[in-house]
Amino acid sequence: GVKGDAVTAYTRLEFNKTLGETNKAEIGPDGITKFNFNTSIEVNLDDPSAIDEISHRLVLFHVIEVLPKEKKAREEKTAPIGQGALDLSSLLKGENGFTQSVVIHS
């Protein structure tokens, strides 16, 4: 989008594989929006390598802008606009869910 304009975007989340995508949301001129996403990651807490993976690997966020649709285009075009990461180590302390703000770097 043009600087100062709102853009429509969604986020793709990955942890070893694609976990899914959020719904599209509008990001205003202030650059702030809220994406809600729920998923589950199964971890065998008796497996030291699984615990190590959760404690050292990040969930990656890819923020993707949905570009304005051209008149004759059949599919919408997209462009990556930023990335962020989320640490899951708090899950090892017994939490079963959390809310966190993540800064997206473009």
Side-chain angles (χ1 to χ4, degrees):
V2 177
K3 192 140 184 104
D5 288 349
V7 298
T8 301
Y10 63 94
T11 302
R12 180 178 300 125
L13 294 93
E14 298 175 355
F15 183 81
N16 286 341
K17 62 178 180 158
T18 299
L19 296 174
E21 297 176 348
T22 65
N23 290 330
K24 294 175 189 171
E26 194 169 282
I27 302 173
D30 60 1
I32 297 173
T33 194
K34 183 182 277 191
F35 292 106
N36 291 312
F37 184 80
N38 292 307
T39 191
S40 60
I41 299 172
E42 292 189 30
V43 178
N44 178 355
L45 295 178
D46 295 326
D47 179 1
S49 65
I51 294 171
D52 190 54
E53 184 173 14
I54 288 287
S55 64
H56 290 96
R57 187 166 291 192
L58 301 172
V59 173
L60 300 178
F61 293 78
H62 304 279
V63 181
I64 302 162
E65 179 181 4
V66 178
L67 301 173
K69 195 169 185 179
E70 295 178 14
K71 291 180 183 179
K72 294 183 181 182
R74 291 185 180 198
E75 295 181 22
E76 61 188 15
K77 293 187 179 187
T78 60
I81 57 175
Q83 293 184 343
L86 177 65
D87 180 4
L88 297 179
S89 61
S90 63
L91 298 177
L92 297 174
K93 298 173 186 162
E95 293 183 36
N96 61 4
F98 55 91
T99 299
Q100 184 167 347
S101 295
V102 177
V103 175
I104 303 298
H105 302 281
S106 57

XYZ file of all heavy atoms in Angstrom:
812
model
N 0.807 -1.188 0.000
C 0.000 0.000 0.000
C 0.851 1.253 0.000
O 2.041 1.224 0.238
N 0.227 2.344 -0.263
C 0.899 3.639 -0.239
C 1.062 4.062 1.207
O 0.174 3.862 2.027
C 0.053 4.681 -1.018
C 0.687 6.053 -0.944
C -0.138 4.247 -2.458
N 2.210 4.623 1.549
C 2.484 5.017 2.931
C 1.357 5.915 3.431
O 0.989 6.872 2.775
C 3.821 5.745 3.017
C 4.301 5.912 4.428
C 5.797 5.668 4.479
C 6.293 5.723 5.890
N 6.557 4.443 6.433
N 0.787 5.597 4.563
C -0.316 6.368 5.126
C -1.676 5.761 4.830
O -2.639 6.063 5.495
N -1.770 4.903 3.818
C -3.030 4.237 3.503
C -3.151 2.961 4.328
O -2.161 2.359 4.711
C -3.095 3.844 2.022
C -3.283 5.028 1.090
O -3.569 6.129 1.591
O -3.141 4.845 -0.129
N -4.388 2.546 4.569
C -4.617 1.259 5.216
C -4.373 0.156 4.190
O -4.619 0.340 3.004
C -6.041 1.184 5.748
N -3.854 -0.955 4.636
C -3.651 -2.105 3.755
C -4.369 -3.311 4.344
O -4.564 -3.404 5.553
C -2.149 -2.436 3.544
C -1.421 -1.301 2.876
C -1.474 -2.800 4.845
N -4.764 -4.221 3.488
C -5.364 -5.477 3.913
C -4.270 -6.530 3.913
O -3.501 -6.629 2.953
C -6.513 -5.872 2.967
O -7.493 -4.835 2.976
C -7.151 -7.177 3.413
N -4.191 -7.284 4.992
C -3.123 -8.277 5.119
C -3.618 -9.469 5.931
O -4.654 -9.411 6.592
C -1.903 -7.658 5.790
N -2.846 -10.536 5.863
C -3.070 -11.701 6.716
C -1.700 -12.215 7.140
O -0.671 -11.776 6.631
C -3.896 -12.784 6.003
C -3.240 -13.386 4.789
C -2.485 -14.550 4.884
C -3.386 -12.800 3.540
C -1.881 -15.104 3.771
C -2.796 -13.350 2.413
C -2.043 -14.503 2.531
O -1.450 -15.047 1.424
N -1.690 -13.141 8.079
C -0.438 -13.681 8.584
C -0.420 -15.192 8.398
O -1.400 -15.870 8.703
C -0.268 -13.339 10.078
O -0.310 -11.923 10.225
C 1.034 -13.846 10.624
N 0.692 -15.710 7.895
C 0.923 -17.158 7.790
C 1.881 -17.529 8.916
O 2.904 -16.883 9.101
C 1.531 -17.515 6.438
C 1.781 -19.022 6.293
C 2.333 -19.389 4.929
N 1.397 -19.004 3.894
C 1.707 -18.212 2.856
N 2.916 -17.736 2.705
N 0.798 -17.910 1.959
N 1.542 -18.560 9.674
C 2.367 -18.989 10.797
C 2.985 -20.346 10.516
O 2.319 -21.233 9.983
C 1.529 -19.064 12.069
C 1.029 -17.705 12.533
C -0.337 -17.422 11.979
C 1.019 -17.637 14.015
N 4.275 -20.486 10.902
C 5.001 -21.728 10.655
C 5.766 -22.159 11.896
O 6.327 -21.339 12.604
C 5.996 -21.537 9.509
C 5.364 -21.181 8.192
C 6.388 -20.886 7.112
O 7.602 -20.869 7.410
O 5.971 -20.659 5.970
N 5.755 -23.460 12.122
C 6.576 -24.099 13.150
C 6.875 -25.495 12.627
O 6.038 -26.391 12.730
C 5.844 -24.157 14.498
C 6.666 -24.735 15.607
C 7.595 -23.955 16.270
C 6.518 -26.056 15.987
C 8.363 -24.488 17.297
C 7.273 -26.600 17.017
C 8.204 -25.812 17.666
N 8.013 -25.663 11.984
C 8.376 -26.895 11.264
C 7.568 -27.060 9.987
O 8.038 -27.647 9.039
C 8.194 -28.152 12.107
C 9.247 -28.301 13.166
O 10.296 -27.701 13.093
N 8.952 -29.107 14.158
N 6.347 -26.618 9.984
C 5.445 -26.689 8.834
C 4.477 -25.517 8.958
O 4.460 -24.821 9.977
C 4.674 -28.011 8.825
C 3.789 -28.175 10.047
C 2.997 -29.452 10.032
C 2.153 -29.481 11.301
N 1.029 -30.328 11.230
N 3.683 -25.292 7.954
C 2.684 -24.223 8.033
C 1.596 -24.639 9.011
O 0.992 -25.704 8.872
C 2.086 -23.936 6.645
O 3.133 -23.509 5.777
C 1.021 -22.856 6.719
N 1.378 -23.787 10.023
C 0.320 -24.041 11.006
C -1.031 -23.537 10.506
O -2.069 -24.026 10.915
C 0.652 -23.347 12.326
C 1.907 -23.826 13.053
C 2.176 -22.948 14.258
C 1.762 -25.282 13.457
N -0.992 -22.530 9.652
C -2.224 -21.969 9.118
C -2.074 -20.487 8.856
O -0.978 -19.920 8.963
N -3.193 -19.878 8.501
C -3.224 -18.459 8.198
C -4.350 -17.794 8.976
O -5.361 -18.413 9.267
C -3.444 -18.245 6.694
C -2.329 -18.802 5.845
C -2.578 -18.670 4.351
O -3.715 -18.347 3.944
O -1.626 -18.887 3.594
N -4.149 -16.524 9.286
C -5.180 -15.754 9.963
C -6.192 -15.254 8.941
O -5.964 -15.329 7.736
C -4.579 -14.523 10.680
O -4.047 -13.634 9.698
C -3.505 -14.920 11.679
N -7.275 -14.713 9.438
C -8.202 -14.011 8.566
C -7.557 -12.718 8.113
O -6.644 -12.212 8.759
C -9.505 -13.697 9.305
C -10.324 -14.940 9.579
O -10.272 -15.909 8.834
N -11.087 -14.909 10.652
N -8.053 -12.156 7.030
C -7.556 -10.866 6.548
C -7.995 -9.777 7.522
O -9.075 -9.845 8.106
C -8.117 -10.561 5.162
C -7.627 -11.519 4.103
C -8.311 -11.247 2.782
C -7.977 -12.337 1.789
N -8.791 -12.224 0.582
N -7.122 -8.799 7.709
C -7.421 -7.670 8.587
C -6.840 -6.414 7.962
O -5.895 -6.472 7.179
C -6.825 -7.889 9.977
N -7.408 -5.292 8.325
C -6.910 -4.022 7.818
C -5.866 -3.463 8.772
O -6.089 -3.412 9.980
C -8.065 -3.035 7.655
C -7.688 -1.829 6.826
C -8.893 -1.005 6.446
O -9.615 -1.397 5.511
O -9.104 0.044 7.095
N -4.730 -3.072 8.218
C -3.675 -2.426 9.000
C -3.762 -0.940 8.692
O -3.606 -0.538 7.542
C -2.280 -2.966 8.632
C -2.223 -4.483 8.849
C -1.198 -2.255 9.438
C -0.947 -5.134 8.359
N -4.054 -0.139 9.706
C -4.231 1.290 9.521
C -2.914 2.030 9.361
O -1.834 1.445 9.422
N -3.006 3.340 9.176
C -1.805 4.166 8.984
C -0.818 4.079 10.145
O 0.369 4.325 9.965
C -2.359 5.577 8.843
C -3.781 5.406 8.432
C -4.233 4.109 9.048
N -1.299 3.724 11.349
C -0.398 3.609 12.501
C 0.412 2.313 12.479
O 1.321 2.123 13.282
C -1.170 3.713 13.814
C -2.223 2.618 13.983
O -2.350 1.747 13.092
O -2.912 2.635 15.008
N 0.080 1.406 11.537
C 0.825 0.156 11.403
C 0.452 -0.902 12.416
O 1.136 -1.910 12.552
N -0.659 -0.708 13.128
C -1.045 -1.650 14.181
C -2.356 -2.342 13.809
O -3.301 -1.706 13.348
C -1.204 -0.908 15.527
C 0.139 -0.304 15.949
C -1.741 -1.850 16.602
C 0.056 0.574 17.171
N -2.381 -3.645 14.026
C -3.612 -4.405 13.873
C -3.551 -5.610 14.796
O -2.520 -5.882 15.410
C -3.864 -4.845 12.415
O -5.213 -5.285 12.291
C -2.933 -5.968 12.005
N -4.645 -6.324 14.893
C -4.697 -7.521 15.731
C -5.113 -8.695 14.855
O -6.133 -8.644 14.172
C -5.710 -7.336 16.858
C -5.776 -8.508 17.812
C -6.829 -8.312 18.877
C -6.249 -7.469 19.974
N -7.119 -7.435 21.167
N -4.278 -9.725 14.848
C -4.602 -10.979 14.189
C -4.846 -11.997 15.289
O -4.053 -12.112 16.219
C -3.438 -11.478 13.320
C -3.151 -10.628 12.113
C -2.045 -9.804 12.083
C -3.963 -10.672 10.997
C -1.745 -9.037 10.978
C -3.691 -9.905 9.877
C -2.577 -9.088 9.871
N -5.934 -12.732 15.198
C -6.214 -13.795 16.155
C -5.973 -15.129 15.470
O -6.408 -15.349 14.342
C -7.660 -13.725 16.637
C -7.894 -12.516 17.505
O -7.129 -12.241 18.411
N -8.946 -11.773 17.206
N -5.273 -16.015 16.179
C -4.951 -17.318 15.604
C -4.869 -18.338 16.716
O -4.256 -18.098 17.750
C -3.609 -17.248 14.866
C -3.255 -18.520 14.157
C -3.817 -18.826 12.931
C -2.353 -19.406 14.719
C -3.491 -20.004 12.280
C -2.032 -20.579 14.070
C -2.595 -20.875 12.847
N -5.495 -19.466 16.517
C -5.427 -20.574 17.465
C -4.918 -21.811 16.741
O -5.309 -22.079 15.611
C -6.807 -20.889 18.044
C -7.316 -19.792 18.933
O -6.640 -19.381 19.850
N -8.518 -19.307 18.636
N -4.061 -22.553 17.413
C -3.578 -23.816 16.869
C -3.150 -24.692 18.033
O -3.125 -24.246 19.180
C -2.398 -23.600 15.887
O -2.149 -24.819 15.196
C -1.145 -23.140 16.599
N -2.819 -25.905 17.747
C -2.259 -26.773 18.778
C -1.015 -27.453 18.204
O -0.942 -27.729 17.009
C -3.272 -27.820 19.244
O -3.662 -28.636 18.165
N -0.053 -27.638 19.076
C 1.181 -28.321 18.715
C 1.356 -29.443 19.729
O 1.435 -29.193 20.927
C 2.386 -27.359 18.776
C 2.189 -26.215 17.792
C 3.684 -28.101 18.498
C 3.218 -25.112 17.920
N 1.361 -30.680 19.241
C 1.503 -31.809 20.149
C 2.968 -32.018 20.479
O 3.824 -32.034 19.595
C 0.910 -33.067 19.526
C -0.595 -32.980 19.398
C -1.203 -34.294 18.991
O -0.645 -35.365 19.325
O -2.255 -34.251 18.341
N 3.253 -32.167 21.762
C 4.619 -32.363 22.232
C 4.616 -33.496 23.251
O 3.834 -33.482 24.203
C 5.177 -31.084 22.899
C 6.580 -31.317 23.420
C 5.154 -29.923 21.930
N 5.496 -34.452 23.066
C 5.655 -35.530 24.025
C 6.649 -35.042 25.082
O 7.843 -34.949 24.821
C 6.177 -36.783 23.321
C 6.409 -37.924 24.279
O 6.272 -37.783 25.502
N 6.774 -39.077 23.733
N 6.161 -34.688 26.255
C 7.018 -34.132 27.298
C 7.980 -35.165 27.890
O 8.863 -34.815 28.664
C 6.169 -33.492 28.395
C 5.361 -32.270 27.949
C 4.512 -31.737 29.084
C 6.273 -31.190 27.391
N 7.816 -36.429 27.518
C 8.765 -37.463 27.944
C 9.929 -37.591 26.962
O 10.864 -38.351 27.211
C 8.050 -38.818 28.078
C 7.015 -38.800 29.188
O 7.249 -38.111 30.209
O 5.970 -39.449 29.026
N 9.862 -36.861 25.856
C 10.896 -36.922 24.824
C 11.792 -35.683 24.921
O 11.362 -34.579 24.589
C 10.232 -36.990 23.444
C 11.218 -37.027 22.298
O 12.451 -37.017 22.539
O 10.763 -37.060 21.134
N 13.033 -35.850 25.399
C 13.930 -34.693 25.555
C 14.159 -33.913 24.261
O 14.277 -32.693 24.286
C 15.239 -35.304 26.050
C 14.855 -36.620 26.641
C 13.659 -37.081 25.861
N 14.178 -34.584 23.113
C 14.393 -33.862 21.862
C 13.189 -32.988 21.509
O 13.341 -31.907 20.939
C 14.718 -34.816 20.713
O 13.629 -35.660 20.424
N 11.977 -33.426 21.864
C 10.777 -32.614 21.618
C 10.787 -31.374 22.507
O 10.440 -30.277 22.061
C 9.518 -33.440 21.867
N 11.193 -31.538 23.753
C 11.290 -30.403 24.673
C 12.347 -29.431 24.184
O 12.149 -28.211 24.192
C 11.594 -30.890 26.104
C 10.398 -31.695 26.628
C 11.916 -29.714 27.023
C 10.650 -32.412 27.923
N 13.462 -29.944 23.723
C 14.528 -29.104 23.188
C 14.041 -28.308 21.974
O 14.341 -27.125 21.832
C 15.729 -29.971 22.812
C 16.942 -29.145 22.471
O 17.334 -28.298 23.296
O 17.492 -29.339 21.372
N 13.256 -28.960 21.133
C 12.742 -28.279 19.936
C 11.812 -27.121 20.314
O 11.926 -26.026 19.767
C 11.996 -29.277 19.045
C 11.525 -28.653 17.759
C 10.929 -29.684 16.817
O 10.642 -30.822 17.230
O 10.753 -29.324 15.653
N 10.920 -27.332 21.265
C 10.013 -26.261 21.711
C 10.802 -25.112 22.339
O 10.489 -23.948 22.148
C 8.980 -26.801 22.737
C 7.954 -27.675 22.038
C 8.282 -25.682 23.484
C 6.954 -26.946 21.194
N 11.839 -25.444 23.080
C 12.581 -24.395 23.787
C 13.533 -23.615 22.882
O 13.940 -22.517 23.236
C 13.350 -24.982 24.969
O 14.339 -25.880 24.528
N 13.868 -24.146 21.716
C 14.839 -23.476 20.849
C 14.300 -23.030 19.498
O 14.961 -22.281 18.800
C 16.062 -24.378 20.630
C 16.882 -24.532 21.857
N 16.730 -25.604 22.707
C 17.829 -23.750 22.414
C 17.569 -25.471 23.726
N 18.250 -24.359 23.563
N 13.149 -23.483 19.115
C 12.603 -23.121 17.804
C 11.500 -22.086 17.978
O 10.722 -22.144 18.920
C 12.049 -24.352 17.110
C 11.626 -24.055 15.685
C 11.406 -25.287 14.930
N 12.706 -25.920 14.745
C 12.920 -26.916 13.929
N 11.948 -27.407 13.234
N 14.109 -27.447 13.807
N 11.415 -21.155 17.055
C 10.428 -20.078 17.112
C 9.291 -20.339 16.134
O 9.485 -20.973 15.096
C 11.091 -18.743 16.750
C 12.258 -18.312 17.639
C 12.938 -17.089 17.042
C 11.785 -18.026 19.053
N 8.115 -19.814 16.473
C 7.028 -19.769 15.503
C 7.300 -18.545 14.644
O 7.513 -17.448 15.160
C 5.648 -19.635 16.194
C 4.554 -19.419 15.163
C 5.350 -20.861 17.033
N 7.325 -18.726 13.332
C 7.574 -17.622 12.416
C 6.263 -17.071 11.884
O 5.355 -17.832 11.553
C 8.453 -18.083 11.259
C 9.821 -18.627 11.641
C 10.559 -19.104 10.393
C 10.631 -17.587 12.386
N 6.174 -15.747 11.822
C 5.016 -15.046 11.284
C 5.432 -14.376 9.986
O 6.438 -13.681 9.952
C 4.572 -13.924 12.228
C 4.038 -14.385 13.534
C 4.890 -14.792 14.551
C 2.684 -14.392 13.750
C 4.397 -15.203 15.769
C 2.180 -14.801 14.967
C 3.031 -15.212 15.977
N 4.674 -14.579 8.956
C 4.906 -13.890 7.693
C 3.668 -13.042 7.430
O 2.581 -13.588 7.238
C 5.120 -14.884 6.547
C 6.231 -15.843 6.808
N 7.554 -15.521 6.611
C 6.223 -17.113 7.281
C 8.312 -16.551 6.929
N 7.531 -17.530 7.352
N 3.815 -11.716 7.454
C 2.691 -10.824 7.195
C 2.660 -10.561 5.696
O 3.664 -10.170 5.095
C 2.817 -9.513 7.982
C 1.620 -8.609 7.703
C 2.924 -9.807 9.468
N 1.501 -10.798 5.099
C 1.352 -10.748 3.650
C 0.241 -9.772 3.291
O -0.893 -9.904 3.765
C 1.037 -12.155 3.112
C 2.178 -13.102 3.523
C 0.823 -12.132 1.611
C 1.836 -14.550 3.461
N 0.597 -8.786 2.469
C -0.381 -7.797 2.011
C -1.189 -8.369 0.856
O -0.646 -9.016 -0.037
C 0.318 -6.524 1.548
C -0.642 -5.471 1.034
C 0.040 -4.211 0.556
O 1.281 -4.152 0.545
O -0.684 -3.276 0.183
N -2.497 -8.127 0.888
C -3.365 -8.486 -0.221
C -3.468 -7.242 -1.094
O -3.992 -6.211 -0.657
C -4.765 -8.926 0.275
C -5.670 -9.250 -0.908
C -4.643 -10.111 1.218
N -2.929 -7.330 -2.296
C -2.901 -6.175 -3.194
C -4.281 -5.947 -3.807
O -5.067 -6.892 -3.963
C -1.859 -6.404 -4.291
C -0.430 -6.617 -3.771
C 0.495 -7.015 -4.915
C 0.085 -5.376 -3.075
N -4.585 -4.691 -4.154
C -5.887 -4.420 -4.798
C -6.039 -5.276 -6.058
O -5.090 -5.423 -6.833
C -5.797 -2.933 -5.162
C -4.783 -2.370 -4.216
C -3.793 -3.479 -3.983
N -7.219 -5.845 -6.206
C -7.462 -6.754 -7.326
C -7.592 -5.955 -8.621
O -8.291 -4.949 -8.674
C -8.735 -7.563 -7.073
C -8.890 -8.756 -7.959
C -10.017 -9.651 -7.471
C -10.076 -10.895 -8.305
N -11.129 -11.789 -7.856
N -6.891 -6.424 -9.633
C -6.994 -5.796 -10.944
C -8.268 -6.286 -11.619
O -8.756 -7.382 -11.343
C -5.763 -6.124 -11.778
C -4.494 -5.530 -11.175
C -3.250 -5.883 -11.967
O -3.371 -6.361 -13.117
O -2.155 -5.676 -11.427
N -8.815 -5.471 -12.513
C -10.118 -5.754 -13.129
C -10.228 -7.154 -13.725
O -11.192 -7.851 -13.495
C -10.431 -4.706 -14.201
C -10.696 -3.340 -13.635
C -10.995 -2.348 -14.716
C -11.179 -0.966 -14.114
N -11.448 0.047 -15.130
N -9.237 -7.580 -14.500
C -9.337 -8.858 -15.196
C -8.659 -10.011 -14.464
O -8.664 -11.137 -14.934
C -8.747 -8.721 -16.599
C -9.549 -7.778 -17.472
C -8.991 -7.725 -18.873
C -9.804 -6.754 -19.722
N -9.330 -6.711 -21.109
N -8.080 -9.750 -13.311
C -7.368 -10.789 -12.574
C -8.343 -11.783 -11.953
O -9.352 -11.389 -11.384
C -6.492 -10.164 -11.496
N -8.019 -13.058 -12.072
C -8.870 -14.097 -11.473
C -8.510 -14.319 -10.012
O -9.356 -14.630 -9.205
C -8.737 -15.396 -12.232
C -9.344 -15.326 -13.597
C -9.298 -16.651 -14.275
N -9.891 -16.526 -15.599
C -10.301 -17.537 -16.307
N -10.171 -18.752 -15.839
N -10.832 -17.348 -17.485
N -7.223 -14.213 -9.714
C -6.766 -14.448 -8.354
C -6.203 -13.161 -7.771
O -5.648 -12.340 -8.490
C -5.672 -15.518 -8.344
C -6.154 -16.873 -8.789
C -5.052 -17.911 -8.749
O -4.063 -17.715 -8.024
O -5.184 -18.926 -9.448
N -6.345 -13.004 -6.457
C -5.753 -11.830 -5.832
C -4.246 -12.011 -5.719
O -3.754 -13.120 -5.554
C -6.379 -11.552 -4.469
C -6.210 -12.643 -3.459
C -7.013 -12.390 -2.198
O -7.903 -11.536 -2.196
O -6.739 -13.081 -1.212
N -3.546 -10.905 -5.860
C -2.091 -10.948 -5.750
C -1.702 -10.523 -4.349
O -2.413 -9.769 -3.691
C -1.463 -10.027 -6.795
C -1.697 -10.525 -8.212
C -0.949 -9.708 -9.218
C -1.200 -10.282 -10.610
N -0.362 -9.639 -11.614
N -0.572 -11.043 -3.908
C -0.091 -10.747 -2.560
C 1.376 -10.334 -2.610
O 2.063 -10.594 -3.600
C -0.241 -11.974 -1.643
O 0.531 -13.051 -2.181
C -1.696 -12.397 -1.505
N 1.826 -9.709 -1.537
C 3.229 -9.325 -1.407
C 3.621 -9.416 0.065
O 2.879 -8.944 0.933
C 3.441 -7.903 -1.918
N 4.771 -10.029 0.371
C 5.222 -10.083 1.767
C 5.583 -8.681 2.249
O 6.187 -7.903 1.515
C 6.454 -10.984 1.714
C 6.912 -10.943 0.300
C 5.715 -10.653 -0.545
N 5.169 -8.341 3.490
C 5.496 -7.011 4.013
C 6.253 -7.060 5.330
O 6.710 -6.041 5.810
C 4.246 -6.106 4.142
C 3.179 -6.733 5.028
C 3.694 -5.777 2.782
C 1.990 -5.831 5.289
N 6.409 -8.234 5.926
C 7.175 -8.294 7.165
C 7.179 -9.675 7.774
O 6.455 -10.568 7.348
N 8.050 -9.835 8.789
C 8.167 -11.103 9.504
C 8.314 -10.834 10.990
O 8.781 -9.763 11.396
C 9.403 -11.875 9.050
C 9.364 -12.366 7.655
C 10.592 -13.196 7.337
O 11.592 -13.153 8.027
N 10.502 -13.973 6.260
N 7.943 -11.807 11.774
C 8.143 -11.751 13.216
C 8.334 -13.154 13.737
O 8.218 -14.130 12.990
N 8.628 -13.267 15.021
C 8.854 -14.582 15.625
C 8.276 -14.612 17.032
O 8.195 -13.581 17.703
C 10.345 -14.886 15.658
N 7.882 -15.789 17.465
C 7.276 -15.990 18.775
C 7.972 -17.149 19.463
O 8.124 -18.229 18.896
C 5.788 -16.288 18.612
C 4.993 -16.590 19.863
C 4.949 -15.367 20.776
C 3.590 -17.024 19.505
N 8.392 -16.921 20.690
C 9.074 -17.926 21.508
C 8.034 -18.751 22.258
O 7.158 -18.201 22.933
C 9.989 -17.190 22.487
C 10.766 -18.107 23.403
O 10.676 -19.334 23.267
O 11.476 -17.569 24.267
N 8.101 -20.067 22.165
C 7.130 -20.955 22.824
C 7.608 -21.494 24.165
O 6.929 -22.315 24.768
C 6.810 -22.141 21.900
C 6.139 -21.813 20.575
C 5.922 -23.095 19.790
C 4.825 -21.098 20.796
N 8.745 -21.032 24.641
C 9.303 -21.620 25.859
C 8.382 -21.475 27.073
O 8.464 -22.277 27.995
C 10.684 -21.040 26.156
O 10.620 -19.656 26.361
N 7.483 -20.479 27.069
C 6.566 -20.342 28.215
C 5.637 -21.542 28.342
O 5.143 -21.842 29.432
C 5.758 -19.048 28.102
O 4.935 -19.080 26.958
N 5.426 -22.260 27.244
C 4.588 -23.465 27.306
C 5.240 -24.553 28.145
O 4.561 -25.389 28.730
C 4.300 -23.987 25.899
C 3.522 -23.042 24.983
C 3.375 -23.655 23.606
C 2.162 -22.713 25.575
N 6.567 -24.539 28.209
C 7.272 -25.538 29.013
C 7.139 -25.265 30.501
O 7.440 -26.128 31.323
C 8.755 -25.576 28.623
C 9.032 -26.003 27.184
C 10.508 -25.873 26.867
C 8.546 -27.422 26.942
N 6.684 -24.072 30.853
C 6.489 -23.710 32.261
C 5.066 -24.006 32.716
O 4.662 -23.587 33.783
C 6.803 -22.225 32.454
C 8.241 -21.880 32.114
C 8.466 -20.392 32.160
C 9.858 -20.068 31.666
N 10.001 -18.674 31.299
N 4.300 -24.712 31.881
C 2.966 -25.132 32.284
C 1.828 -24.325 31.695
O 0.669 -24.673 31.893
N 2.116 -23.249 30.990
C 1.033 -22.488 30.360
C 0.462 -23.306 29.213
O 1.183 -24.010 28.521
C 1.557 -21.150 29.833
C 1.984 -20.187 30.914
C 2.426 -18.849 30.343
O 1.832 -18.397 29.357
O 3.371 -18.275 30.894
N -0.848 -23.219 29.010
C -1.440 -23.948 27.889
C -1.947 -22.999 26.807
O -2.578 -23.407 25.863
C -2.556 -24.889 28.352
C -3.689 -24.146 29.012
O -3.698 -22.921 29.079
N -4.657 -24.887 29.510
N -1.658 -21.723 26.958
C -2.020 -20.732 25.958
C -1.566 -19.375 26.416
O -1.273 -19.176 27.589
N -1.447 -18.444 25.508
C -1.035 -17.114 25.875
C -1.365 -16.141 24.759
O -1.624 -16.528 23.629
C 0.457 -17.047 26.225
C 1.380 -17.561 25.150
C 1.892 -16.725 24.184
C 1.720 -18.897 25.127
C 2.742 -17.204 23.206
C 2.565 -19.391 24.145
C 3.074 -18.538 23.181
N -1.344 -14.873 25.099
C -1.514 -13.787 24.147
C -0.227 -12.970 24.170
O 0.301 -12.702 25.243
C -2.696 -12.886 24.565
O -3.882 -13.686 24.567
C -2.872 -11.736 23.597
N 0.241 -12.630 22.994
C 1.495 -11.886 22.944
C 1.471 -10.922 21.774
O 0.941 -11.221 20.714
C 2.655 -12.856 22.789
C 4.007 -12.171 22.831
C 5.135 -13.164 22.993
O 4.912 -14.323 23.302
N 6.336 -12.718 22.791
N 2.041 -9.741 21.988
C 2.248 -8.791 20.893
C 3.586 -9.101 20.259
O 4.566 -9.356 20.951
C 2.254 -7.357 21.421
O 0.999 -7.027 21.941
N 3.607 -9.107 18.933
C 4.830 -9.416 18.206
C 5.125 -8.271 17.251
O 4.263 -7.825 16.513
C 4.663 -10.729 17.391
C 5.907 -11.017 16.586
C 4.344 -11.880 18.317
N 6.354 -7.775 17.306
C 6.789 -6.726 16.394
C 7.145 -7.383 15.066
O 7.873 -8.362 15.024
C 8.000 -5.961 16.951
C 8.519 -4.949 15.944
C 7.639 -5.281 18.260
N 6.600 -6.854 13.995
C 6.857 -7.379 12.654
C 7.903 -6.495 12.000
O 7.768 -5.286 11.966
C 5.566 -7.406 11.813
C 4.482 -8.232 12.510
C 5.843 -7.903 10.408
C 4.823 -9.673 12.729
N 8.949 -7.105 11.491
C 10.040 -6.372 10.852
C 9.868 -6.447 9.339
O 9.698 -7.530 8.786
C 11.379 -6.976 11.253
C 11.585 -6.963 12.731
N 11.976 -5.848 13.415
C 11.388 -7.934 13.661
C 12.051 -6.126 14.717
N 11.692 -7.392 14.886
N 9.887 -5.279 8.705
C 9.730 -5.277 7.237
C 11.029 -4.902 6.561
O 11.983 -4.510 7.160
C 8.644 -4.296 6.828
O 8.928 -3.000 7.295
